[in-house]
Amino acid sequence: MYGKSLQNNTLRLSLIILIFVSLSTIFTGTALAETIVSISPETQSVEENQDFILSIYIEPDAPISGAQFNLIFDESLVNVREIREGDLFKQKGTTMFSQGTIDNSQGTVTGVYGLVLGKNMVTAPGTFATVYLSSTDSSGICKLQLSNVVVSNSNGCSMPVTAISGTVKVGDVSTSPAETISGGGSGGGGGAGSPEPSENVKLKELSQCFITNGVRARYMFRGDINDIRYVEFDPKRSFGKTTAIIEMLKGKSALTSGEPEGQVYQHMNIWIGTDGISNPENIENGAVGFRVERVWADENEIDLTSINLNHFSNGKWDVLETCQTGEDDLYLYFEARTPGFSPFAITGQSSGTVQSTKSIAQDSNDMQGSNDALRSEATSKATQSPEREKEAPAGKKDYTAIIYVAVGIILFLPILMIFKRS
């Protein structure tokens, strides 16, 4: 009796654990959201013996009041001259900031910290620190590694953080896109990188999601001038915490050749994790939610049915399946299906162009229809059989089927009566 009770309790406990694990897997995407600390721009190119700057950018997932970091770099390629406080904590009141200790002989900056005094906390993203650097007379690719990154709230409690490091190309160095993409995320798929030249990027926005096999991944973006609203896909593998980056571009991507057809509303890049994650072997059923300003559509007399998202892949632009999902006073909202993520462009065509294209297509269809009709008539006349010419005149009916039915009824009635008597 005792053994049976123990066995039942063990089964119940196993069931509870199984349910807990399943729920944890389902809700991990929202439960493990973290504050993102990144180097911006994540990749850039400079000449030898040139001064340049980068920012330490923080996107809080919850209210924060303090932060710190160390920076590790290749001292043979770059040196740090100075670190200044950014505007992140200044938006909430009086702050305290320390640029830490700069040691160019070791390639380190340690002990950089800042905080807002009192119980004030910050929720909006911003630049925590601006780093002023100089390149040396050597050429190469320098990794800029964030370490000992801590973000805390007003109670002094540290919060979950994902640190995204960066790279800087010094001098004339030939690199492939994969070589310039930096990792730097905490485990799993890591941070996303971009081979796009920084001078062509007018806006960069990051989002993080926990990618688990069998659970649809969804990244949300809230930037005021970011026209990509969400990115989602079904992962075929688990990658853990993975960062996605949206880049709104000033012109077409340096990774593309030529422009897509139609009037371009916006060029952009979408990067998911490290190089190679967002290919058909790892993901499927990709979708991108985006918006278009009504003003642009009205001023350019854009036919709304012609607005599409275009994807650059295998050396050419492909028009993606796109449908409108909503609208408001300022924007039109769309969703497009995509097989992968890389450079994209939103395009549309003027109503006149669309109408002209439709007219040409209709004329072509009408001409084809006329030709088909003529061919059909000629074929019918040529293949008409002599028997068909001898068909019965109109009005003469064939009563053969009726006679067969009547005879069948007459023969069946006696058999029915015999069965009824018996």
Side-chain angles (χ1 to χ4, degrees), residues 170-215:
V170 180
D172 185 14
V173 180
S174 297
T175 59
S176 65
E179 290 174 323
T180 58
I181 294 175
S182 63
S186 56
S194 169
E196 188 71 43
S198 59
E199 58 269 18
N200 192 37
V201 178
K202 68 178 179 181
L203 168 76
K204 178 183 292 188
E205 186 175 354
L206 294 78
S207 180
Q208 190 185 45
C209 177
F210 197 93
I211 298 180
T212 303
N213 183 19
V215 179

Side-chain angles (χ1 to χ4, degrees), residues 8 11 89 164 172 190 213 225 237 252 257 287 351:
N8 290 336
L11 290 174
F89 291 122
I164 302 177
D172 185 14
N213 183 19
I225 59 175
R237 296 169 52 195
K252 79 176 187 67
S257 56
S351 300

Side-chain angles (χ1 to χ4, degrees), residues 65-86:
S65 61
Q68 71 175 52
F69 71 89
N70 294 343
L71 181 65
I72 303 172
F73 54 92
D74 186 342
E75 72 280 1
S76 68
L77 296 174
V78 302
N79 286 169
V80 176
R81 295 183 287 116
E82 183 183 6
I83 298 179
R84 298 179 186 175
E85 181 180 10

Side-chain angles (χ1 to χ4, degrees), residues 18 66 79 108 112-113 125 131 136 193 244 252 285 308 346 366 388:
L18 180 61
N79 286 169
T108 61
V112 181
Y113 70 86
V131 184
T136 66
K252 79 176 187 67
N285 303 322
N308 288 298
I346 301 170
D366 291 344
R388 185 173 181 82

Side-chain angles (χ1 to χ4, degrees), residues 21 73 78 82 88-89 98 108 118 195 207 293 315 328 348 417-418 422:
V21 171
F73 54 92
V78 302
E82 183 183 6
L88 175 66
F89 291 122
S98 171
T108 61
S207 180
E293 288 184 342
D328 57 30
M417 295 300 293
I418 293 171
S422 61

Side-chain angles (χ1 to χ4, degrees), residues 201-271:
V201 178
K202 68 178 179 181
L203 168 76
K204 178 183 292 188
E205 186 175 354
L206 294 78
S207 180
Q208 190 185 45
C209 177
F210 197 93
I211 298 180
T212 303
N213 183 19
V215 179
R216 189 161 180 81
R218 184 177 176 91
Y219 294 90
M220 300 296 297
F221 299 93
R222 304 180 180 86
D224 291 338
I225 59 175
N226 182 2
D227 290 310
I228 300 299
R229 311 316 293 163
Y230 63 85
V231 172
E232 58 185 33
F233 55 87
D234 294 326
K236 297 180 180 179
R237 296 169 52 195
S238 297
F239 291 98
K241 294 185 289 293
T242 304
T243 301
I245 292 180
I246 303 295
E247 292 176 325
M248 294 289 113
L249 305 179
K250 299 174 183 178
K252 79 176 187 67
S253 172
L255 309 177
T256 65
S257 56
E259 297 275 3
E261 292 186 4
Q263 298 187 47
V264 176
Y265 171 72
Q266 177 65 57
H267 282 284
M268 74 283 292
N269 291 328
I270 302 177
W271 308 111

